[in-house]
Amino acid sequence: MIKDIMLISELGELALIEKIRGYFSIGDSGVLIAIGDDAAVFSADKKNIVTTSDLMSEGVHFDYTYTTFYQVGFRLVISNVSDIYAMGAVPSYLFLNMALTGKRSEEEFDDFLKGVREACEHYNAKVLGGDLSLSIKGDFYSATLIGFADRVKTRSGAKPGHNIFITGNTGDSAAGLAYLKYVKKRIPMEKNMEYTSREIDGTILDTVRRHLIPCACNPETFIDKIKAMIDISDGLLLDLYRICAESRAGALIYRDNIPVSDGVRAIASMLEMDYMDFVLSGGEDYELIITSDSDHLDDCILIGKIIKDGFFFVDSDGIREKFVPKGYTHF
Amino acid sequence: MIKDIMLISELGELALIEKIRGYFSIGDSGVLIAIGDDAAVFSADKKNIVTTSDLMSEGVHFDYTYTTFYQVGFRLVISNVSDIYAMGAVPSYLFLNMALTGKRSEEEFDDFLKGVREACEHYNAKVLGGDLSLSIKGDFYSATLIGFADRVKTRSGAKPGHNIFITGNTGDSAAGLAYLKYVKKRIPMEKNMEYTSREIDGTILDTVRRHLIPCACNPETFIDKIKAMIDISDGLLLDLYRICAESRAGALIYRDNIPVSDGVRAIASMLEMDYMDFVLSGGEDYELIITSDSDHLDDCILIGKIIKDGFFFVDSDGIREKFVPKGYTHF
């Protein structure tokens, strides 16, 4: 008898994560937040210790064809810093794991470490440890970042009536990546480096930079007004859905309020794609989605409102249209 | 002009780790222990928080030809628990990263999680988070484990005159692995499972178990007598060398005192190898090496003495012989 085998690629990422959650229930252990938010939280004496861990594997999260080793290292740190900020915490200590094919050169190894170091210095994180190993079949990096928070901000604090804000443009990173996949070459920009090119338009370069040297967004100036928060790592709609799912609520999105950069429009036009696909579902922008009962947050853009149930776009003429949250998933 | 390119495989693991240490000096940051011990330590209020991170990559740390998914998950946890115990700490919170090829079945995924869960339950660690992703070219796992310690035990506390103890046999895991590579098949033993076989001798099975379902050694009963400590992950001599290097000291080893299991002898004889190679340089036993000014530690074996300088074996007839510490390195 042949047994039916279900592959994890058929199950899908969300089902797999639910499965992991089921395996590791934490019971009554004094842990404040376990699996299911941007990071986990436990307390030591009076401090909230916030921890997140992210991995990057070659061919999935990065491709050396169009990413330098510096940029891979830089991006690894940012994805973790962004998770820590999204909890209302401040990053402190980083642990770095690397499994590398033996064919890597010393120069490539140095470049990767420089990228890690410059990102860590920028966000005040110290590298305290990790692990290094050979890999047979491709490079793999992971990092764990520990931070501290006075008051933790979760995904589950959204309530009907809250306004929904974002801290900046979305879709830039995904559009930048699409451009890089199209030109199939590295653009060796680094932090603080003035990079100009005769071949590439400046607007497009700015957008590509959002992918290669991303920023993590620190919400400290309006932290007291935040009720729920998540960082955009898998797309505006999917990450907004995660806030709503954890808060048992729905959302209206004022579609015309969503900011779109010139670079996203330019790249979408060049590649004959719909720019709103980048804006709504592109990952790795590391902007924050915030819900608040305030009508205004400095430097943030109001893009919607939390409602009891359902997901709708609202146009400026008031017409509602249902939407299905989708974004980047790994399986 | 062709530029000379130095590959990381030519530099070697120790040089690469020194390079990493150079990149990430922590300065005056309030961190108690950074790169260079079994785990890093920082304090939050009055608590010492001890963190370690380990990775496992397919084809290097495990091979599914002769390792079940359960066993891979179990071993991933143990390697981290052992590092936490080696700091005199108690394990608490685990973060799990997985990059898996899409061809993994749900059953394999479940088996891996069961292995992680049973090891975590045994050592009282809670899984709080992590990351899951597709991998193009092979499976990678990493885990970060956070623990707490009242008084941290480091590698650097050894002084000339200290006795050197180990907590149990060494070489068993490496011999078990050599046996598995020879028979090229899985032995589906699990924690608490009575596994017997008509084909495999019981002594050999016990030794193979040390590789597939290892134990981490908790030093709590003699913690007050410990001056320096490390767990044996890369071999008795190499890990003893690490204590000596961090403590700026040397060591005498009473070679005849080193315990050798019947299983190691049996496997070495079967494979026509020298059993002392397993015992002195085999990795992943997760026994502890301890230095102490006591003459006796419960359940530990006295195997040598810390001296000012140099590395020597001493036989029962008092003859000294220099040795070069070697063990498992990844490059």
Side-chain angles (χ1 to χ4, degrees), chain A residues 236-254:
Chain A
L236 174 58
L237 295 191
L238 184 58
D239 287 316
L240 175 61
Y241 169 78
R242 288 177 170 142
I243 280 194
C244 291
E246 294 294 327
S247 302
R248 294 161 191 272
L252 290 183
I253 301 287
Y254 313 142

Side-chain angles (χ1 to χ4, degrees), chain B residues 10-319:
Chain B
E10 298 169 284
L11 278 169
E13 185 175 0
L14 296 181
L16 293 171
I17 289 171
E18 276 313 304
K19 187 185 270 285
I20 295 169
R21 237 171 148 164
Y23 266 91
F24 302 115
S25 71
I26 53 162
D28 183 20
S29 59
V31 171
L32 304 176
I33 296 165
I35 298 172
D37 216 301
D38 295 297
V41 184
F42 60 89
S43 66
D45 289 345
K46 286 166 222 155
K47 295 211 180 185
N48 292 310
I49 298 180
V50 180
T51 308
T52 187
S53 197
D54 273 326
L55 68 86
M56 289 173 71
S57 78
E58 187 177 348
V60 176
H61 297 86
F62 61 91
D63 187 325
Y64 294 127
T65 317
Y66 47 80
T67 321
T68 67
F69 284 80
Y70 175 97
Q71 291 159 356
V72 173
F74 198 93
R75 290 177 54 217
L76 175 66
V77 176
I78 300 305
S79 71
N80 282 282
V81 169
S82 182
D83 280 328
I84 293 292
Y85 278 155
M87 300 299 290
V90 175
S92 291
Y93 305 125
L94 190 118
F95 295 81
L96 182 64
N97 292 330
M98 298 170 263
L100 305 176
T101 53
K103 68 183 178 195
R104 290 286 147 256
S105 72
E106 183 176 13
E107 193 182 345
E108 292 168 332
F109 188 69
D110 279 322
D111 276 352
F112 173 81
L113 294 179
K114 277 180 201 157
V116 169
R117 184 174 60 191
E118 289 194 20
C120 282
E121 281 173 359
H122 189 79
Y123 293 97
N124 279 316
K126 303 278 180 191
V127 176
L128 292 198
D131 198 5
L132 171 67
S133 169
L134 196 64
S135 165
I136 299 294
K137 291 175 180 170
D139 290 355
F140 293 92
Y141 303 99
S142 75
T144 303
L145 183 58
I146 298 176
F148 297 90
D150 290 330
R151 273 190 66 190
V152 167
K153 305 293 178 177
T154 66
R155 297 179 182 180
S156 61
K159 289 209 165 58
H162 282 176
N163 285 313
I164 303 169
F165 297 90
I166 53 175
T167 53
N169 294 339
T170 58
D172 289 50
S173 178
L177 174 60
Y179 180 85
L180 289 165
K181 283 183 172 174
Y182 175 74
V183 298
K184 290 190 181 61
K185 64 178 180 185
R186 296 184 187 182
I187 301 178
M189 48 176 69
E190 300 190 1
K191 182 176 164 284
N192 298 330
M193 187 201 270
E194 270 305 322
Y195 184 85
T196 55
S197 163
R198 284 189 192 179
E199 295 161 51
I200 311 171
D201 172 74
T203 314
I204 288 179
L205 265 187
D206 289 344
T207 306
V208 171
R209 174 178 282 273
R210 289 283 309 271
H211 180 73
L212 293 176
I213 307 290
C215 294
C217 186
N218 185 346
E220 67 178 340
T221 55
F222 42 80
I223 192 93
D224 292 336
K225 297 183 175 174
I226 297 168
K227 298 297 182 187
M229 180 159 56
I230 192 171
D231 71 316
I232 302 178
S233 47
D234 296 329
L236 174 57
L237 295 191
L238 184 58
D239 286 317
L240 174 61
Y241 169 77
R242 287 176 173 144
I243 281 194
C244 291
E246 294 294 329
S247 302
R248 295 162 191 271
L252 288 185
I253 301 287
Y254 314 141
R255 184 154 43 182
D256 299 340
N257 282 25
I258 300 173
V260 183
S261 75
D262 292 343
V264 169
R265 286 182 207 268
I267 291 169
S269 159
M270 194 183 91
L271 302 177
E272 297 179 352
M273 295 172 72
D274 180 351
Y275 66 83
M276 285 306 281
D277 284 345
F278 290 131
V279 170
L280 297 176
S281 306
E284 300 184 316
D285 282 306
Y286 303 122
E287 299 294 345
L288 299 167
I289 303 175
I290 292 158
T291 82
S292 173
D293 48 19
S294 298
D295 291 328
H296 173 86
L297 293 186
D298 285 352
D299 301 322
C300 294
I301 304 127
L302 176 71
I303 60 153
K305 190 179 279 291
I306 296 293
I307 57 176
K308 274 179 83 168
D309 210 15
F311 295 90
F312 303 92
F313 288 125
V314 191
D315 285 342
S316 47
D317 51 13
I319 294 171

Side-chain angles (χ1 to χ4, degrees), chain A residues 3 5-11 13 16-17 19-20 22-31 33-36 39-47 49 51-61 93 95-107 109-111 113-114 116-117 120-121 126-140 142-144 146 148 330-331, chain B residues 3 5-11 13 16-17 19-20 22-31 33-36 39-47 49 51-61 93 95-107 109-111 113-114 116-117 120-121 126-138 140-144 146 148 330-331:
Chain A
K3 198 174 150 192
I5 293 176
M6 174 69 97
L7 299 182
I8 56 172
S9 48
E10 298 169 289
L11 278 169
E13 185 176 359
L16 293 171
I17 289 171
K19 187 185 272 284
I20 295 169
Y23 266 90
F24 303 114
S25 72
I26 53 160
D28 184 19
S29 58
V31 170
I33 296 165
I35 298 172
V41 184
F42 60 89
S43 65
D45 289 344
K46 287 166 219 155
K47 294 211 180 184
I49 298 180
T51 308
T52 187
S53 197
D54 273 328
L55 68 87
M56 290 172 71
S57 76
E58 186 177 347
V60 176
H61 297 85
Y93 304 124
F95 295 81
L96 181 63
N97 291 331
M98 298 171 263
L100 305 176
T101 52
K103 68 182 177 192
R104 290 285 147 257
S105 71
E106 184 175 12
E107 193 181 346
F109 188 70
D110 279 322
D111 276 352
L113 294 179
K114 278 179 201 159
V116 169
R117 184 173 60 189
C120 281
E121 281 173 357
K126 302 277 180 191
V127 176
L128 292 197
D131 198 7
L132 170 67
S133 169
L134 196 65
S135 165
I136 298 294
K137 290 175 180 170
D139 289 355
F140 169 83
S142 75
T144 304
I146 298 176
F148 297 90
H330 293 96
F331 285 92
Chain B
K3 198 173 149 193
I5 293 175
M6 175 70 96
L7 299 182
I8 57 172
S9 48
E10 298 169 284
L11 278 169
E13 185 175 0
L16 293 171
I17 289 171
K19 187 185 270 285
I20 295 169
Y23 266 91
F24 302 115
S25 71
I26 53 162
D28 183 20
S29 59
V31 171
I33 296 165
I35 298 172
V41 184
F42 60 89
S43 66
D45 289 345
K46 286 166 222 155
K47 295 211 180 185
I49 298 180
T51 308
T52 187
S53 197
D54 273 326
L55 68 86
M56 289 173 71
S57 78
E58 187 177 348
V60 176
H61 297 86
Y93 305 125
F95 295 81
L96 182 64
N97 292 330
M98 298 170 263
L100 305 176
T101 53
K103 68 183 178 195
R104 290 286 147 256
S105 72
E106 183 176 13
E107 193 182 345
F109 188 69
D110 279 322
D111 276 352
L113 294 179
K114 277 180 201 157
V116 169
R117 184 174 60 191
C120 282
E121 281 173 359
K126 303 278 180 191
V127 176
L128 292 198
D131 198 5
L132 171 67
S133 169
L134 196 64
S135 165
I136 299 294
K137 291 175 180 170
F140 293 92
Y141 303 99
S142 75
T144 303
I146 298 176
F148 297 90
H330 292 95
F331 286 93

Side-chain angles (χ1 to χ4, degrees), chain A residues 247-318:
Chain A
S247 302
R248 294 161 191 272
L252 290 183
I253 301 287
Y254 313 142
R255 183 155 42 183
D256 300 340
N257 283 25
I258 299 173
V260 183
S261 75
D262 292 342
V264 168
R265 287 181 206 268
I267 291 169
S269 159
M270 194 184 91
L271 302 177
E272 297 180 353
M273 295 172 74
D274 180 351
Y275 67 82
M276 284 307 280
D277 284 344
F278 289 130
V279 171
L280 296 176
S281 305
E284 300 183 313
D285 282 307
Y286 304 121
E287 299 293 346
L288 298 167
I289 304 174
I290 292 158
T291 83
S292 172
D293 48 18
S294 298
D295 291 328
H296 173 84
L297 294 186
D298 285 351
D299 301 322
C300 294
I301 304 128
L302 177 71
I303 61 153
K305 190 179 278 290
I306 296 292
I307 57 176
K308 273 180 83 168
D309 210 14
F311 295 90
F312 303 92
F313 288 125
V314 191
D315 285 341
S316 48
D317 51 14

